[in-house]
Amino acid sequence: SPHLVPLPRAGSAATLLARVVEHYHKTFCERPDAQAYLQGRGLVDTGLWRVFKLGYADGSLLKLVPKTGELREQLVALGVITAEGRELLGGCVVFPIPDAVSGDCTTFYGRGLKVDRHCYLPGPLRGVWNYQAAQSASEVVLTESVIDALSCLQAGIMSAIPLYGTNGFTGEHLDALLKSPTRRAVICLDNDEPGKQAALSL
């Protein structure tokens, strides 16, 4: 079918977001400019691109979604499509962020390809990117952003987990750590005044 299939029941946000993840990832794999953005930041491990289903929002999702109906309404409610009919993360490399228990996608982090832009889906910041690290590592590295964590993974530091910025340590981060064998957390934030203050606070 040329359309995303409408969900079989209400409340299946995870199923719908999973379909959006697949579309964005397929788009990323077909866009040399999106790949070049990460390569320009030194992120060249294509295996990590695949494992974390990195994506790119180029506006093509709008062509797959009917102009009216339940599917569009659900995407608008989730914030993937704005009330004005745009893709919220249009022009962004997209990082799906999963729930630390179910593994289902809970939100997206978008990083502007041509404009210095940071964007999440509306609503509370949920999910823990690379939560799997806390399930098995005795030590985790807490970074300021997803891109910082991805840089750590590429360097072989597989236990890196990003926060939502300097003040973005959430209850879900804490819960994931408390339920894990982790005994030590290394705080690896930017070496600037906000980063230093946040490290002290953490």
Side-chain angles (χ1 to χ4, degrees):
S1 168
H3 297 291
L4 292 175
V5 180
L7 296 180
R9 60 187 185 281
S12 299
T15 303
L16 183 51
L17 286 177
R19 289 179 181 160
V20 176
V21 167
E22 292 299 329
H23 176 75
Y24 283 166
H25 181 60
K26 180 175 182 292
T27 303
F28 175 83
C29 292
E30 296 171 350
R31 289 292 298 256
D33 54 344
Q35 297 171 31
Y37 170 79
L38 291 182
Q39 291 166 343
R41 299 186 65 110
L43 301 170
V44 298
D45 188 334
T46 58
L48 291 175
W49 298 355
R50 290 191 297 270
V51 167
F52 291 99
K53 296 274 188 178
L54 305 191
Y56 181 62
D58 67 346
S60 61
L61 181 68
L62 298 174
K63 299 175 183 177
L64 301 176
V65 179
K67 302 246 180 243
T68 60
E70 183 184 6
L71 180 57
R72 177 169 284 263
E73 290 170 3
Q74 289 172 319
L75 288 169
V76 170
L78 289 168
V80 176
I81 297 176
T82 68
E84 297 76 28
R86 297 180 295 103
E87 272 189 77
L88 178 68
L89 300 173
C92 289
V93 174
V94 179
F95 300 81
I97 301 180
D99 179 82
V101 176
S102 68
D104 294 332
C105 180
T106 62
T107 190
F108 297 127
Y109 167 62
R111 189 66 182 265
L113 193 65
K114 297 177 181 177
V115 178
D116 188 18
R117 179 179 173 223
H118 305 262
C119 190
Y120 294 95
L121 294 185
L125 295 175
R126 295 189 53 223
V128 179
W129 194 85
N130 197 29
Y131 71 92
Q132 300 92 332
Q135 294 178 336
S136 58
S138 60
E139 175 182 287
V140 300
V141 175
L142 300 176
T143 70
E144 193 165 316
S145 73
V146 173
I147 288 181
D148 292 341
L150 194 60
S151 298
C152 287
L153 265 62
Q154 182 168 278
I157 304 169
M158 306 309 292
S159 62
I161 294 176
L163 309 180
Y164 291 100
T166 52
N167 298 309
F169 183 78
T170 69
E172 289 187 53
H173 286 108
L174 180 60
D175 191 54
L177 293 177
L178 292 176
K179 290 179 178 177
S180 76
T182 300
R183 291 294 172 264
R184 185 170 186 258
V186 177
I187 300 171
C188 184
L189 306 184
D190 289 355
N191 188 27
D192 54 18
E193 198 56 36
K196 292 174 183 177
Q197 290 300 319
L200 288 173
S201 176
L202 279 172

